[in-house]
């Protein structure tokens, strides 16, 4: 009798555990799947170039347009390592320096190269050639899913190699904001990075995509990281073809091959300033500096204090842009 009762209890417990596990996994599957499509997939039936819905809710179409720099320009095309056709614009300065000074300006999450035009104009006024790429799954570039800087960093290395091919004497600054910052930081650790890349400027970058989303889940939703993040990362791998743990600028800056200037706004609620401080502490770059812009929110430090921002950029990068 006791054995029968014990057997029934054990069976009930095992069944309950299995049902709860199935429910959690099933719920996690659908939630993770939704999160990947909501946050990383671009395009709608009406507009294949529409940014991910998470970005579209925050930034309506009428607020996404910026004036194109009034400089001579041409479109460049690149085929990525996974056969996506990527697009960028090459702007020529009014007074050409023979292609010796270049800046690649990289936009952030959900944006297009238009988001780079403000910073691009500064470099053009300084006599730089400027390349403003549309990251994969953005603007005119092909691709369905963003990868939070992971595959984008490989694309950026290849854009730098394209410049080096056309302009062997070029010295290049890579300058990225938000996800673009993560992109250029990870590019600094790439074995294929051409020697032409002389310095890196990152603004509002995160330590890792995983840590960033953990922060947002906790701050915005009040949810624990486990198991939500694990299930989300699993769906990222299955659907978008990458792991959030592959988008880790913090590791990249520990092995960076070029000097890095870190810039962050003290009122950044999306990517906490503590991440910039952590990146700066961890960086083992040949040279590094940290600039915190007082009261600046996410991704607009250059507009909050333009004079200090660009003065710091100019002074940090100048020693590395001198002709040999």
């Amino acid at each position: 009798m006791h054995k029968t009762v014990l057997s029934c209890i054990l069976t009930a417990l095992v069944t309950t555990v299995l049902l709860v596990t199935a429910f959690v996994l099933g719920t996690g599957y659908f939630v993770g799947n939704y999160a990947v499509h909501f946050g990383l997939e671009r395009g709608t039936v009406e507009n294949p170039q529409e940014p991910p819905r998470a970005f579209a809710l925050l930034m309506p179409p009428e607020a996404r347009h910026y004036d194109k720099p009034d400089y001579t320009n041409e479109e460049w095309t690149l085929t990525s390592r996974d056969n996506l056709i990527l697009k960028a614009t090459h702007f020529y300065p009014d007074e050409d320096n023979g292609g010796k000074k270049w800046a690649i300006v990289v936009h952030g999450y959900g944006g297009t190269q238009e988001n780079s035009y403000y910073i691009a104009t500064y470099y053009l006024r300084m006599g730089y050639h400027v390349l403003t790429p549309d990251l994969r799954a953005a603007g005119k570039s092909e691709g369905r899913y963003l990868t939070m800087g992971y595959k984008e960093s490989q694309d950026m290395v290849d854009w730098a190699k394209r410049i080096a091919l056309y302009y062997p004497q070029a010295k290049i600054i890579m300058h990225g904001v938000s996800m673009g910052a993560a992109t250029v930081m990870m590019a600094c650790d790439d074995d294929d990075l051409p020697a032409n890349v002389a310095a890196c400027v990152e603004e509002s970058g995160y330590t890792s995509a995983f840590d960033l989303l953990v922060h947002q889940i906790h701050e915005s939703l009040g949810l624990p990281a486990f198991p939500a993040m694990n299930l989300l990362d699993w769906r990222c791998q299955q659907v978008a073809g990458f792991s959030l743990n592959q988008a880790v600028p913090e590791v990249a800056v520990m092995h960076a091959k070029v000097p890095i200037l870190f810039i962050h706004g003290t009122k950044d609620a999306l990517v906490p300033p503590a991440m910039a401080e952590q990146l700066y502490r961890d960086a083992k770059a040949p040279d590094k500096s940290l600039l915190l812009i007082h009261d600046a929110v996410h991704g607009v430090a250059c507009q909050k204090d333009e004079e200090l921002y660009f003065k710091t950029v100019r002074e940090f990068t100048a020693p590395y842009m001198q002709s040999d």
Side-chain angles (χ1 to χ4, degrees):
M1 179 66 177
H2 292 295
K3 290 183 178 179
T4 302
V5 172
L6 182 59
S7 177
C8 289
I9 292 173
L10 289 174
T11 300
L13 286 173
V14 170
T15 302
T16 301
V17 170
L18 290 174
L19 288 174
V20 170
T21 301
F23 175 77
V24 171
L25 290 176
T27 301
Y29 173 87
F30 287 109
V31 171
N33 206 53
Y34 176 80
V36 170
H37 291 295
F38 183 74
L40 299 178
E41 183 182 28
R42 72 100 168 245
T44 63
V45 174
E46 296 79 15
N47 180 12
Q49 294 184 352
E50 182 71 6
R53 284 173 286 170
F55 178 83
L57 287 176
L58 298 173
M59 189 71 67
E62 61 272 15
R64 300 177 199 162
H65 299 293
Y66 303 85
D67 292 335
K68 188 174 184 178
D70 187 18
Y71 290 80
T72 301
N73 62 85
E74 62 188 359
E75 185 176 82
W76 281 17
T77 300
L78 178 74
T79 302
S80 72
R81 301 176 195 185
D82 51 354
N83 295 314
L84 297 177
I85 302 301
L86 308 177
K87 298 291 186 177
T89 302
H90 167 209
F91 292 94
Y92 291 81
D94 286 337
E95 294 185 9
D96 197 349
N97 54 46
K100 294 180 181 179
K101 296 195 300 182
W102 278 77
I104 304 176
V105 186
V106 189
H107 67 81
Y109 169 84
T112 69
Q113 63 172 286
E114 287 190 25
N115 297 83
S116 303
Y117 289 166
Y118 186 88
I119 293 175
T121 300
Y122 160 77
Y123 282 108
L124 286 162
R125 289 171 181 165
M126 292 289 293
Y128 283 67
H129 287 250
V130 179
L131 192 71
T132 56
D134 278 327
L135 294 176
R136 58 174 54 224
K140 295 181 180 179
S141 291
E142 293 183 346
R144 185 175 175 184
Y145 295 100
L146 313 180
T147 68
M148 299 302 291
Y150 171 57
K151 293 183 180 179
E152 291 86 350
S153 68
Q154 299 169 5
D155 302 333
M156 216 46 51
V157 169
D158 290 343
W159 279 122
K161 290 169 69 175
R162 175 64 59 84
I163 293 172
L165 177 65
Y166 292 167
Y167 298 84
Q169 74 279 25
K171 292 200 171 185
I172 305 167
I173 296 171
M174 296 192 300
H175 190 141
V177 178
S178 189
M179 194 182 84
T183 296
V184 298
M185 282 189 282
M186 285 187 280
C188 288
D189 183 33
D190 196 297
D191 289 337
D192 289 334
L193 187 72
N196 303 70
V197 176
C200 172
V201 179
E202 75 85 21
E203 177 195 339
S204 301
Y206 40 84
T207 52
S208 77
F210 194 95
D211 289 345
L212 174 64
L213 293 176
V214 166
H215 171 77
Q216 289 302 317
I217 284 177
H218 178 72
E219 293 294 320
S220 302
L221 304 175
L223 297 175
F226 179 83
M229 281 302 303
N230 303 77
L231 293 167
L232 171 58
D233 187 48
W234 173 58
R235 290 309 297 158
C236 266
Q237 295 175 52
Q238 298 298 313
V239 177
F242 82 107
S243 168
L244 294 171
N245 290 306
Q246 290 176 299
V248 190
E250 184 177 12
V251 172
V253 299
M254 294 178 184
H255 309 283
K257 298 174 176 61
V258 298
I260 304 177
L261 171 60
F262 300 90
I263 304 176
H264 217 94
T266 62
K267 290 293 182 66
D268 191 334
L270 181 63
V271 180
M275 285 194 172
E277 294 168 349
Q278 184 67 47
L279 286 165
Y280 175 74
R281 285 194 298 269
D282 289 342
K284 300 295 188 296
D287 189 15
K288 63 181 180 179
S289 186
L290 172 64
L291 171 65
L292 297 177
I293 301 290
H294 185 63
D295 283 345
V297 297
H298 183 72
V300 295
C302 61
Q303 298 174 48
K304 181 65 177 178
D305 193 337
E306 179 177 322
E307 182 178 353
L308 175 61
Y309 185 102
F310 289 119
K311 177 177 181 289
T312 304
V313 169
R314 183 173 62 253
E315 291 178 351
F316 181 82
T317 59
Y320 309 109
M321 299 302 291
Q322 301 297 324
S323 299
D324 294 330

